[in-house]
Amino acid sequence: MDIAINKGDARRLVTILMNAPIAPGKYSHFINAGTDGILDVLDHNYFRGELAEGIGCFKYLEGDYGSGKTQFINSLAQRANEQKVVTALVTVGNECPFNSPAAIFSAIMESFSPPTDTQGESKGIEVLIDSWIKHRIRELGDEPGEDVPEIIQRQIEHQIAGLWKGAPDQQMASALVALSQRLLKTNCGASDTVADSELISWIRGDNVRSTALRNLGLFEPVRDDNAFRRLKTVIAFLRNRMGYKGFLIAFDEGTRTSSFRRGSAKQKQAIENLLTMINQNAEGEFGGVMFIYAATPDFRSEVITNYRALQDRIGTKAFSKGSPMVPLINIEEANSEDVIRSIGENLLVVFAKAYDVDWDMTVQTANMKAIIAAQKEVLYETPKPRFFVYQYCRFLEAQRMEQKAISAGQAGDFVGDNEPPQEGGVG
C-alpha cells in the first residue's frame, strides 16, 4: 500500500496524532478508511454535480464518540477542496452555541477556507475573497503587486462591483463589495486603505460600530434576526460575483450538547435554526450548499424524536450507494475490524514515510493483530478509530526505535498502560 504523502506532511501528521487523540485536520484523508464508498458518492453527486447547479442538500452524520465523525468530515472537506468547493468546518460548543443564528453566522465566516491546491492555515471570509482576487489576477496574466496593469484592475473591479438589486441583506452586500475593492487595491500595490480591520470584523459578525462603517452604510452588526439573510448574501456574492461553484458547511457537535438541553427554550431555538437551514436550503435560498450536522446517536434518540418536523427531514433510512439522496449517514456502519486494520496499515505507511522506517511486515502485521485483540478484550467490542489510533501510534513510535514481535500478554499490558484521555477525540 502507498499513500501520496511527503515526508514533511507525514512528520506533521505523526506529531498531531502523538500530541492528542483528535482528527488530524487537513491530513485526515491520509489515514481514513472504511468510508471511501460514501465519500465517492457524495463527491460524485454533489461536488462534481448538483452544487454547481445551485442545488443544495442536508446530511445528518451520526456516530458514537470516537467513531470517526470528525475524521469523515475532514476527509470530505479534502474531496471538496479537490473539486474547488469552498469549505467551512464549525465546531458546535461554547464558541458556537447552535441556539444563536448570529453565533452560527460568525462561526461560518471565520471558518471559510479557500479551495486551493495546498490548503493553508489561514481561514475566514476575507481570506477567501483575497484568495480569489490573487487567483483572478493570475488568470488574467499577471502577478499580485505594484505593477498590475490598470486594465486588469478594471476588469476585476467590474466583476465584483456593480449594482446588486434584491440582495437578501443590503448592508452585507455593500460590505462585501467594499472589502473586495479594498483587497483588490491591496493586491495591486495600494497601501492607503482605511479601516480594513473594522470592515472585516463587521463582516465576520463582530459587534462593531464606527463612523467609517456608517460612511459605508453599515449601521447594524449581525443579530439573530438578520443572520441567515446575511449568510445567504455572502453565499450569493461568492457564487455569483466570484464564481465559487459550491460550499460545504459542516457542524460537528461531537459530545458537546450544551445547546440542546431537553425541552428548554434554547433547545427549541436550536432545532428551529437547524430546520431553517434545511428548509431554506431545500428551497434554493442558499444556492449550492451542502450542510452537514454531526452528532452522537443520543441526539437522534433523545432530541430529534421529540421534534416531528426534524425527524421527518432526517428519516430513519441510512445513506447508501443506491440511495445517495437520503440525509442520514450512519458512520457506525462503516466501522469494522477490517476498517481498523486498514487504518493501521495506513499508519504504518505514514510512519515509514516520516522516519524512513523499513518495517518488517510479518512482525508488524502480527503485532497489529495482537494489539487489536487486546483492545477488543478490554472494550468487549471492536475498538473505535479514536481508541485504536491513539494507542497504535504510541506502539509504532516505540517499534520504529526497535522492531520486535510482541506476545498477547505484552499487547494486553501495552493497551492497559496507554488509556486514551476521556475528552476530545477523533469523533
Side-chain angles (χ1 to χ4, degrees):
M1 178 186 296
D2 193 22
I3 297 174
I5 186 171
N6 60 47
K7 185 172 184 175
D9 283 343
R11 280 282 185 100
R12 284 184 279 273
L13 173 52
V14 169
T15 299
I16 292 170
L17 293 174
M18 292 295 294
N19 283 339
I22 59 173
K26 66 181 183 179
Y27 301 108
S28 294
H29 63 287
F30 289 121
I31 62 170
N32 190 62
T35 58
D36 283 345
I38 302 174
L39 294 169
D40 287 344
V41 173
L42 292 174
D43 187 349
H44 176 77
N45 281 278
Y46 298 107
F47 299 157
R48 301 170 191 256
E50 293 192 351
L51 297 189
E53 298 170 12
I55 301 171
C57 67
F58 169 74
K59 302 297 177 186
Y60 176 75
L61 180 65
E62 181 175 284
D64 281 332
Y65 171 65
S67 61
K69 296 186 300 298
T70 306
Q71 174 85 0
F72 177 87
I73 288 172
N74 280 297
S75 297
L76 184 61
Q78 175 62 26
R79 298 289 192 100
N81 185 61
E82 291 170 358
Q83 297 305 318
K84 308 304 181 186
V85 169
V86 174
T87 60
L89 310 186
V90 175
T91 299
V92 176
N94 292 333
E95 296 298 317
C96 178
F98 212 76
N99 61 290
S100 167
I104 294 170
F105 172 85
S106 296
I108 294 171
M109 291 302 102
E110 69 182 29
S111 300
F112 271 133
S113 181
T116 56
D117 294 331
T118 55
Q119 288 177 302
E121 300 300 328
S122 298
K123 297 179 180 180
I125 180 64
E126 74 282 5
V127 175
L128 188 57
I129 294 173
D130 186 64
S131 174
W132 179 84
I133 290 171
K134 286 181 168 63
H135 177 73
R136 191 75 183 101
I137 291 172
R138 293 185 177 111
E139 268 190 337
L140 294 171
D142 211 281
E143 284 292 322
E146 295 182 2
D147 299 324
V148 176
E150 185 68 27
I151 190 172
I152 289 180
Q153 297 183 46
R154 286 200 305 270
Q155 192 167 341
I156 298 175
E157 170 84 17
H158 179 74
Q159 189 170 348
I160 58 180
L163 189 62
W164 185 356
K165 292 182 179 179
D169 186 277
Q170 193 56 57
Q171 288 189 55
M172 179 56 73
S174 299
L176 292 169
V177 170
L179 178 59
S180 300
Q181 290 173 324
R182 292 181 179 190
L183 290 173
L184 173 60
K185 291 178 181 176
T186 300
N187 277 286
C188 295
S191 59
D192 58 348
T193 53
V194 180
D196 284 347
S197 61
E198 286 184 344
L199 180 56
I200 291 168
S201 293
W202 188 94
I203 291 173
R204 277 187 171 224
D206 295 338
N207 188 11
V208 292
R209 301 173 188 268
S210 71
T211 301
L213 292 172
R214 285 195 296 273
N215 289 339
L216 292 171
L218 310 181
F219 301 96
E220 298 174 341
V222 69
R223 303 187 310 269
D224 283 345
D225 62 355
N226 65 25
F228 286 134
R229 291 200 309 274
R230 291 197 171 174
L231 179 57
K232 292 173 194 175
T233 305
V234 171
I235 295 296
F237 181 85
L238 295 172
R239 182 178 179 83
N240 299 328
R241 302 262 169 138
M242 296 191 161
Y244 284 118
K245 68 176 185 178
F247 306 84
L248 167 64
I249 299 177
F251 302 98
D252 189 1
E253 184 181 88
T255 58
R256 293 168 285 273
T257 57
S258 58
S259 297
F260 296 103
R261 299 304 181 194
R262 183 180 295 184
S264 67
K266 286 185 176 181
Q267 183 191 83
K268 292 176 182 177
Q269 184 58 56
I271 296 297
E272 285 301 317
N273 294 338
L274 193 52
L275 282 170
T276 295
M277 285 190 291
I278 294 171
N279 294 339
Q280 294 183 0
N281 198 31
E283 293 164 2
E285 293 190 34
F286 286 98
V289 177
M290 176 189 286
F291 283 120
I292 291 183
Y293 196 94
T296 50
D298 59 341
F299 177 56
R300 188 155 59 108
S301 62
E302 297 178 10
V303 179
I304 293 175
T305 53
N306 297 322
Y307 295 89
R308 180 62 184 272
L310 185 56
Q311 187 176 6
D312 288 346
R313 284 156 181 79
I314 292 175
T316 56
K317 182 179 181 181
F319 181 98
S320 68
K321 189 173 183 179
S323 53
M325 301 304 174
V326 301
L328 176 60
I329 300 174
N330 189 342
I331 203 75
E332 291 292 335
E333 296 178 357
N335 282 326
S336 67
E337 191 168 330
D338 285 342
V339 169
I340 294 300
R341 281 197 295 270
S342 294
I343 294 173
E345 290 165 0
N346 290 341
L347 288 170
L348 281 166
V349 175
V350 169
F351 269 78
K353 290 279 184 76
Y355 299 107
D356 298 318
V357 182
D358 184 13
W359 294 117
D360 182 331
M361 291 307 298
T362 301
V363 168
Q364 295 307 330
T365 299
N367 284 348
M368 188 198 306
K369 184 177 180 180
I371 292 290
I372 294 173
Q375 291 178 332
K376 289 176 70 175
E377 189 170 331
V378 168
L379 300 170
Y380 302 104
E381 64 176 2
T382 300
K384 295 288 192 295
R386 170 190 176 270
F387 189 92
F388 172 74
V389 169
Y390 180 85
Q391 293 192 334
Y392 194 56
C393 283
R394 278 149 184 77
F395 179 78
L396 292 183
E397 179 68 13
Q399 285 284 309
R400 76 178 179 87
M401 302 297 185
E402 181 185 0
Q403 293 194 62
K404 58 184 178 181
I406 60 170
S407 66
Q410 289 170 322
D413 290 342
F414 181 88
V415 168
D417 292 340
N418 288 274
E419 185 71 19
Q422 294 302 305
E423 298 299 324
V426 186

